[in-house]
Amino acid sequence: MSKIALVTGASSGIGWASAVLLAEEGYDLILCGRRAERLTELSQKIPTKTLQLVFDVSNREAVKDALDSLPDSWKQIDVLLNNAGNAHGLAKLQDGSIDDWDAMIDINVKGLLYVTKAIVPGMVQRGGGHVVNIGSIAGKEVYPNGNVYCASKHAVDALNNGMRMDLVGTGVKVSQVCPGLVETEFSMVRFKGDEERSKGVYEGFDALTAHDVADLIRFIVTRPKHVNISDTMILPTAQVASTIVDKK
Ligand code: NDP
Ligand code: 8X3
């Protein structure tokens, strides 16, 4: 029987690259995101079977409806890649936008939980599966102006550890990947479409590519049954901490 992976945030960046590499490993893919046209474009590049689910992870009903709508032949999900997320804004707490805070908590934390709750009970019932959570270096340390984004990724770090404890003995693996600076649409979203500012984030050093991170995800999900890579951090060689990047 073919293996099935569900990727949230497959319409861009790390999620897109991971879907491509998981297909290379033979997985059929459930591609999730809000931008349907992007998912269609991606599905045309994937040689295995694909199914697209267009929903907002922060909308609890939409998550449930989307996952309930899966045909029976797609319900036995082997790998859940909890990747959808973004930073919204970069400002001192006293100057921050409450709408940005809501977005980050609702998408990065609650969205991850809603999707997990819809899929993990089935994995437990089947006695196997693998949840890979995309955290961040921002979930291991904080940096100035990163306040709520860092808090949301610290929450992912805690949930990753909590999930692994709760799922021990069920056959379900839980792993986290915490990247440093990866050049994707991330900064365009954070800076609300300001191209100049976004480009500046990745200037003067070789940032990670989405493919670099996807390659680590591929490694994690292809380990033997008795091996779980519980937590990882992947950084550009030029980066040693959130605020220490060797820019030329
Ligand atoms: P991108 O902006 O390129 O991709 C983000 C993805 O998340 C898109 O596919 C987007 O799809 C999806 N997404 C965002 N909001 C929602 C939502 N409400 N509902 C459903 N899907 C949503 O960024 P990255 O690939 O870089 O980010 C992926 C993950 O990696 C995030 O969790 C991010 O926090 C994390 N990360 C990124 C780093 C970086 O430097 N780039 C470093 C460390 C971690 P759509 O808009 O179509 O809904
Ligand atoms: C994304 C990396 O440093 O912008 O999680 O927070 S950073």
Side-chain angles (χ1 to χ4, degrees):
M1 217 170 77
S2 53
K3 303 170 289 182
I4 298 173
L6 183 146
V7 179
T8 65
S11 55
S12 174
I14 295 168
W16 177 297
S18 301
V20 170
L21 294 195
L22 288 169
E24 282 181 18
E25 294 302 320
Y27 283 88
D28 292 337
L29 267 303
I30 303 173
L31 306 172
C32 307
R34 291 166 302 179
R35 287 170 291 177
E37 69 292 349
R38 288 285 195 94
L39 299 179
T40 302
E41 191 190 332
L42 173 58
S43 69
Q44 285 158 1
K45 297 183 192 302
I46 286 185
T48 54
K49 285 191 217 144
T50 62
L51 186 145
Q52 297 165 40
L53 286 183
V54 178
F55 63 95
D56 182 336
V57 294
S58 67
N59 181 328
R60 186 169 158 177
E61 288 308 313
V63 172
K64 189 177 178 306
D65 290 349
L67 292 162
D68 282 353
S69 78
L70 284 173
D72 284 346
S73 57
W74 283 92
K75 278 195 176 10
Q76 305 209 351
I77 294 163
D78 298 287
V79 169
L80 163 59
L81 180 57
N82 272 326
N83 163 75
N86 273 122
H88 294 262
L90 182 70
K92 287 187 192 302
L93 196 89
Q94 59 271 33
D95 301 326
S97 146
I98 295 180
D99 286 342
D100 284 347
W101 299 351
D102 280 345
M104 290 185 277
I105 301 290
D106 289 351
I107 299 167
N108 302 354
V109 184
K110 291 165 76 178
L112 179 146
L113 282 169
Y114 297 153
V115 175
T116 302
K117 177 69 175 160
I119 293 172
V120 163
M123 289 179 168
V124 172
Q125 245 174 24
R126 294 188 295 278
H130 199 159
V131 182
V132 182
N133 296 309
I134 304 301
S136 171
I137 188 173
K140 301 291 188 181
E141 52 181 89
V142 293
Y143 52 86
N145 303 316
N147 42 65
V148 178
Y149 178 68
C150 294
S152 75
K153 288 298 181 179
H154 274 70
V156 173
D157 189 49
L159 290 169
N160 181 68
N161 291 331
M163 264 183 226
R164 200 172 42 256
M165 288 176 186
D166 294 345
L167 288 164
V168 70
T170 64
V172 181
K173 296 188 196 183
V174 181
S175 306
Q176 180 175 232
V177 172
C178 296
L181 290 157
V182 193
E183 191 162 2
T184 61
E185 293 176 8
F186 179 86
S187 291
M188 281 292 279
V189 174
R190 166 168 261 176
F191 299 127
K192 306 181 193 307
D194 183 337
E195 271 182 50
E196 209 55 24
R197 204 170 168 199
S198 306
K199 255 177 45 199
V201 174
Y202 309 107
E203 268 168 7
F205 73 108
D206 289 329
L208 294 173
T209 64
H211 179 275
D212 295 327
V213 181
D215 212 18
L216 174 57
I217 294 164
R218 166 166 48 194
F219 179 79
I220 288 171
V221 302
T222 53
R223 292 312 86 207
K225 198 174 173 193
H226 69 288
V227 178
N228 184 39
I229 311 286
S230 59
D231 202 358
T232 56
M233 187 178 288
I234 175 168
L235 303 176
T237 305
Q239 182 180 27
V240 293
S242 288
T243 52
I244 305 177
V245 183
D246 179 36
K247 290 198 173 198
K248 303 292 184 204

